[in-house]
Amino acid sequence: MERDDHGATLSHTFKYLFATQLLSRGIPFIFNTWIVRHLTEHDYALYAVQFHLFTTCILFLSREGFRRACMRAEIKCDDALVGGDAAKLLKVAWFSLPLGLLITLVACALVFWWQALSFSSPYGQAILLNGAACLLELLSEPLYILSQNLLLLKLRLIVETAATLSRCITTYIFIVGRSGTEKAIVFALSQISYGGCVFLGYWGYFLIYRLIESSELFPFRSKGIMDCNRQLLKMCTLFTFQSFRKLILQEGEKLVLVWFDTPYNQAVYGLVDKLGSLVVRLVFLPFEESSYATFARSASEKQEDRCKKLGYCLTEALKLVLLIGLIVVAFGPSYSYALMRLLYGRKWSDGEASTALRYYCLYVILLAMNGTSEGFLHAVANEGQLKQSNDSLLVFSLIYVVLNVLLVRSAGAVGLIIANSTNMALRIMYSAMFIRNYFQDSTLFSFSRCLPSGWTVLLFSGVATLISEKFFLDRDNFWLTFLVHLSVGLCCFCISAFIIYRNERPFINKLVRFHQHTD
C-alpha cells in the first residue's frame, strides 16, 4: 500500500510536469521549425544561443538553489490553508528576489563592458529588456516555490503554456509584420511577454483565490521578517553556491561557443540542442523533477522502512529513463539526417547539423542517467555530503571547460557534445558511488536491476537501422528511399517493443496505469 502511495505521488507529479513540458517545449519546437527558415545564421545564433544563455544564467543562479532547498521543506498540503508553514517558506523564498536583482545588474554590466555596448545600440537595449524580463519572472518566484510545495501542478501547466504562447505569438507578429524592428529587440520583447505572463499568472491566482492571507504573501510587511527558518536559508545558500558550478556544467558549452566560435557554429549547435534535447525536456526533465520531489519526501519521513521505499523508487526511475535513453540511442543516429531534412530543409541537413545530432543521440542516455541519479543525491544527502558534491562539481567544471575550449576549435559542435558527454559520465560515476554507499548495508537496491530486460535487442536494432541508412537512403532521391529506410526502422521498433514488453510486462503495465492516479 505504501508503494502505491509513493507511486501515485510520482505519477501524479510526473503527469502534470510532462504535460507542462509538452506544451511549454512542444509549442516552441513547432514554432522553431518555422522561424529557422526566416532567420539568418547570425540572427538564429542570437535567438537560440546568446540571449538564451544570458537569461538562463540570471534565472538559474537566482532561483535554482531556492527551488532545490525549499522542495525539502516540510509543508503539509492538507494544512496549507492555515498558512503557518507557507508563511515560513515564503520568508525564505523572498530572498531570491534581491539575489536575482544583484545578479541581473552584474550580468548586464558585464555584457556591456565585454562587448563595449552603448545604451543606444539595439543589442544593448535588447540586453536590458532581457534583464527586465528576468526580474519579472523572479517577482513571481516565491509563489512558484509555494505552488510546487502545495502540488498546484495544474497552475504551473496553465501559466507556462500561456507564457510560451505569448512569447511565440509576439515573435511571429513582429517578424511576419515586417515592422523593421531589429531582430534583437524582437527576441527581447518576446521574453518580456513571457515574464509578464508568468508574473500575472502566479500573482493573479494567489490574490484571487486567497489560499493564504496577503500578509503572509508579503512577509516583509510583518515585524518578524528576519525570524525565518535559518536551517532552510542555510540550505538555500548551499544549493545556490552549488548552482554556480552546475551552471558551468550545464551551459558551459554555450559560453565557449559565444567566446570562441563563429555565429554559424553557434546556430548549428543551437538548432541541434533544441531538437536533440526535445526528449530530454519533454520526458527526462519532468521525470527528474517529480523523482526529486518523491525522493525528498520519502527521505524526510521517519519510518523505519524509508530506505526500502527509496530503493524501490530509485530502481523504477532509473529503469524508465534507461529504457527511453536506449530507444533514442538505437534509432536516433540512423534517422538524424532524415529528421533534419524533414524539419529544416537541405540547407541544414547537408551541413554539420546532422552529424552533430547523431552524437547528441548518444549523449541523451547520459543525460537521462545523470538527471535521476544526481536528483537522488541532492534529495537525500546531508549537509556534509552536499559540500563534498559541490567540491566534485568544481573539479568536473574545470575539466569540462578545458575540454570545451580544446574540442570546439578542432571539432566544432561535435566537440562540444563530446565534452558534455565526458562531463556527464564523470557526474554519473560520482552519483553512482554515493548511491552504492547509501545502500551498502542492504540488498534493497542494485544497479543491475535498473537495466531493462531486452536491451540487447535495441542495440541490434540500432545496427540494423544504421546499415539500412547506408544502403537504402539516397540524399538526391530522398523521399522514395526514405520510405524504405523508415519501414526498416518501424519493423525493428515493433520487434524490440514486443520483446521488451514480454520481459518487462509488470513494469510497463505499471507505467500504463499512471493515468489512473488522480489528484
Side-chain angles (χ1 to χ4, degrees):
M1 192 66 185
E2 290 171 343
R3 283 189 177 187
D4 290 341
D5 291 340
H6 280 74
T9 302
L10 178 60
S11 64
H12 164 73
T13 310
F14 174 73
K15 178 177 64 177
Y16 278 105
L17 290 177
F18 175 77
T20 302
Q21 291 298 322
L22 180 63
L23 294 171
S24 64
R25 303 295 182 180
I27 292 170
F29 170 72
I30 297 170
F31 177 73
N32 194 54
T33 60
W34 171 81
I35 197 174
V36 75
R37 299 173 186 266
H38 293 77
L39 297 177
T40 64
E41 286 85 351
H42 181 269
D43 289 337
Y44 190 74
L46 283 179
Y47 170 75
V49 177
Q50 296 178 26
F51 289 163
H52 170 79
L53 177 64
F54 179 76
T55 55
T56 299
C57 287
I58 292 174
L59 293 173
F60 191 84
L61 294 177
S62 303
R63 67 191 186 188
E64 179 65 15
F66 288 87
R67 288 185 173 186
R68 284 283 181 179
C70 290
M71 280 303 296
R72 296 168 61 126
E74 294 185 19
I75 176 169
K76 298 179 181 179
C77 296
D78 52 348
D79 295 332
L81 293 176
V82 177
D85 290 341
K88 293 177 183 178
L89 186 72
L90 285 172
K91 281 185 179 181
V92 174
W94 269 109
F95 280 98
S96 62
L97 182 60
L99 175 63
L101 178 60
L102 176 62
I103 291 173
T104 301
L105 292 174
V106 171
C108 290
L110 281 175
V111 174
F112 269 75
W113 169 77
W114 174 49
Q115 299 200 8
L117 299 175
S118 66
F119 291 105
S120 59
S121 67
Y123 193 92
Q125 293 171 0
I127 288 295
L128 294 176
L129 287 172
N130 275 296
C134 291
L135 290 178
L136 272 176
E137 282 196 61
L138 290 172
L139 281 169
S140 64
E141 186 60 27
L143 301 188
Y144 168 88
I145 290 173
L146 178 61
S147 68
Q148 289 297 103
N149 275 271
L150 298 179
L151 296 179
L152 299 176
L153 303 176
K154 190 178 292 186
L155 172 63
R156 178 180 174 182
L157 171 64
I158 295 170
V159 169
E160 292 193 9
T161 302
T164 301
L165 279 171
S166 174
R167 178 168 55 192
C168 293
I169 291 171
T170 302
T171 308
Y172 179 83
I173 290 172
F174 276 99
I175 291 180
V176 171
R178 300 182 183 278
S179 60
T181 308
E182 290 283 341
K183 293 294 192 301
I185 301 295
V186 171
F187 301 145
L189 288 175
S190 68
Q191 193 64 31
I192 285 279
S193 68
Y194 182 91
C197 280
V198 172
F199 173 79
L200 292 174
Y202 282 107
W203 277 102
Y205 180 86
F206 279 96
L207 290 176
I208 291 172
Y209 290 98
R210 302 183 65 85
L211 295 184
I212 62 175
E213 294 298 325
S214 59
S215 60
E216 291 163 350
L217 287 177
F218 302 95
F220 42 82
R221 290 183 175 180
S222 63
K223 296 180 180 179
I225 181 174
M226 298 308 297
D227 184 23
C228 61
N229 188 331
R230 298 286 181 176
Q231 183 62 32
L232 181 58
L233 185 60
K234 186 177 181 181
M235 192 65 69
C236 290
T237 304
L238 184 62
F239 274 113
T240 297
F241 279 115
Q242 186 182 74
S243 69
F244 279 83
R245 298 167 187 178
K246 286 187 69 177
L247 180 69
I248 296 175
L249 294 170
Q250 182 174 303
E251 301 292 341
E253 75 276 8
K254 293 186 179 71
L255 286 167
V256 172
L257 271 174
V258 171
W259 282 338
F260 295 104
D261 218 338
T262 63
Y264 173 78
N265 278 340
Q266 292 176 31
V268 166
Y269 185 83
L271 189 70
V272 170
D273 183 57
K274 285 184 178 296
L275 178 59
S277 63
L278 192 63
V279 173
V280 177
R281 290 166 178 158
L282 288 182
V283 180
F284 296 145
L285 184 59
F287 192 78
E288 177 186 340
E289 290 185 28
S290 56
S291 297
Y292 176 81
T294 303
F295 295 149
R297 290 179 183 277
S298 298
S300 65
E301 295 176 356
K302 305 302 182 184
Q303 289 102 332
E304 297 178 357
D305 59 344
R306 71 172 182 175
C307 190
K308 181 179 180 181
K309 296 176 183 177
L310 285 169
Y312 171 76
C313 292
L314 181 59
T315 300
E316 300 289 282
L318 283 175
K319 181 178 288 189
L320 177 60
V321 296
L322 275 173
L323 178 60
I324 299 171
L326 285 169
I327 292 172
V328 175
V329 169
F331 298 99
S334 52
Y335 289 92
S336 294
Y337 174 85
L339 185 60
M340 195 69 68
R341 177 78 173 264
L342 290 170
L343 293 176
Y344 306 121
R346 198 161 186 176
K347 168 189 173 183
W348 293 97
S349 64
D350 287 358
E352 187 184 356
S354 295
T355 304
L357 186 58
R358 294 178 196 273
Y359 282 87
Y360 203 101
C361 291
L362 303 177
Y363 169 55
V364 162
I365 193 170
L366 295 175
L367 278 172
M369 295 170 63
N370 177 72
T372 302
S373 59
E374 206 169 69
F376 180 85
L377 187 156
H378 292 159
V380 305
N382 58 37
E383 186 175 332
Q385 291 167 331
L386 286 173
K387 288 181 179 178
Q388 290 179 356
S389 175
N390 284 350
D391 294 337
S392 69
L393 282 177
L394 177 60
V395 176
F396 299 155
S397 301
L398 295 174
I399 296 172
Y400 175 59
V401 170
V402 172
L403 285 175
N404 269 312
V405 174
L406 294 176
L407 293 175
V408 72
R409 296 185 175 183
S410 59
V414 172
L416 293 180
I417 296 171
I418 294 172
N420 273 322
S421 300
T422 305
N423 160 47
M424 285 297 159
L426 291 172
R427 291 167 66 177
I428 289 168
M429 286 190 286
Y430 183 87
S431 299
M433 288 189 292
F434 173 85
I435 292 170
R436 185 187 63 185
N437 292 333
Y438 188 87
F439 293 103
Q440 64 180 350
D441 296 327
S442 70
T443 58
L444 300 173
F445 175 83
S446 171
F447 283 108
S448 61
R449 292 202 294 267
C450 300
L451 197 62
S453 302
W455 62 272
T456 52
V457 73
L458 284 173
L459 297 184
F460 282 117
S461 296
V463 174
T465 51
L466 286 173
I467 294 172
S468 169
E469 182 185 30
K470 183 175 181 179
F471 284 97
F472 295 129
L473 191 63
D474 184 357
R475 297 186 178 187
D476 295 322
N477 186 21
F478 175 74
W479 291 104
L480 182 61
T481 56
F482 168 68
L483 292 175
V484 177
H485 179 45
L486 181 62
S487 300
V488 174
L490 288 173
C491 290
C492 291
F493 179 80
C494 291
I495 294 171
S496 301
F498 174 77
I499 294 174
I500 291 173
Y501 177 73
R502 188 181 63 180
N503 294 331
E504 292 284 358
R505 183 175 297 180
F507 173 68
I508 294 175
N509 286 340
K510 197 179 304 177
L511 296 178
V512 172
R513 290 195 300 269
F514 259 20
H515 72 279
Q516 296 176 357
H517 293 293
T518 56
D519 295 2

